[in-house]
Amino acid sequence: MKMGLSDRITLALVPLLARIIIRSLHLTMRITYVGFEGYRRRIESGSQIILAFWHGRLLMMPYSYPGRGITILVSQSKDGELVSRTVKGFGIDSVRGSSSKGWFAGVKGLLKSVRAGRDVAITPDGPRGPGGKAQMGAVQIARATGLPIYPVAFSASIVKKFRSWDSFLLPYPFTKGVFICGEPITVEKDSGPDEMEAARRQLEDVLNSLTERADRYFSGR
């Protein structure tokens, strides 16, 4: 479908503005990393990972990844195109697909990236939610590749939470931020439906627990 002038302007300007905001926030924030020792050791050893985080904590996630190259799964919607163009400026590749549309193409793209030696990232509740509810995608990729899933959460001392389906979180500048990484979740290649569902529930529970912990981190609760 042919894009109008307003669409072309949006696709050109919004990702640029988003990158400026993300980089500016990062420059002004003091960020703490919790539980990242094993995650970093694995990446530094050259071993690959699957990075998983909730859609609403997407904004600062480029700064949670210390590796050499990662590919993220984004939707085939206009919003997905904006995300794809935004993260490209951070050296992050993307493939298009979601549970509601183009999932097979998305899986093929992620598997191709893994074969090329790249890490992959997935928002298990994206692109439409419900927020905080993991879908099966990350678990399916883990079973197909044998790679561990590393769940990561982000929060900050002062934030704005939007009334969107994912409760999108925007940290304020000059605040304190925190990334918290959980223990890796592995899925055996011969896992059946029950084992897959157990892994999905584990990922959901861990991500929600990490997110609650990150949100409480600076309040001392």
Side-chain angles (χ1 to χ4, degrees), residues 120-133:
V120 296
I122 298 176
T123 55
D125 59 344
R128 297 180 179 178
K133 297 291 184 181

Side-chain angles (χ1 to χ4, degrees), residues 57-110:
R57 307 301 168 109
L58 173 67
L59 188 70
M60 300 304 295
M61 282 298 164
Y63 294 103
S64 72
Y65 176 70
R68 295 168 296 179
I70 193 166
T71 301
I72 187 171
L73 178 67
V74 299
S75 74
Q76 294 180 326
S77 66
K78 184 185 293 185
D79 287 347
E81 181 64 24
L82 293 173
V83 171
S84 179
R85 293 186 182 211
T86 298
V87 300
K88 186 67 175 176
F90 293 95
I92 299 171
D93 288 345
S94 60
V95 295
R96 311 300 296 275
S98 69
S99 59
S100 59
K101 185 178 180 182
W103 173 239
F104 183 68
V107 169
K108 286 181 63 178
L110 289 180

Side-chain angles (χ1 to χ4, degrees), residues 150-167:
Y150 278 84
V152 173
F154 171 82
S155 195
S157 55
I158 305 176
V159 301
K160 166 69 175 178
K161 283 188 181 180
F162 291 87
R163 293 181 179 179
S164 54
W165 68 263
D166 59 354
S167 299

Side-chain angles (χ1 to χ4, degrees), residues 141-154:
I141 297 296
R143 181 178 65 172
T145 62
L147 299 181
I149 304 170
Y150 278 84
V152 173
F154 171 82

Side-chain angles (χ1 to χ4, degrees), residues 13-28:
L13 293 183
V14 170
L16 174 61
L17 178 60
R19 288 195 295 271
I20 291 172
I21 291 172
I22 295 167
R23 289 193 172 106
S24 298
L25 286 170
H26 182 254
L27 284 172
T28 65

Side-chain angles (χ1 to χ4, degrees), residues 39-57:
Y39 172 56
R40 288 197 181 102
R41 282 197 300 271
R42 182 175 176 89
I43 289 177
E44 289 169 0
S45 73
S47 299
Q48 293 167 268
I49 58 103
I50 299 168
L51 177 62
F53 48 87
W54 290 140
H55 195 277
R57 307 301 168 109

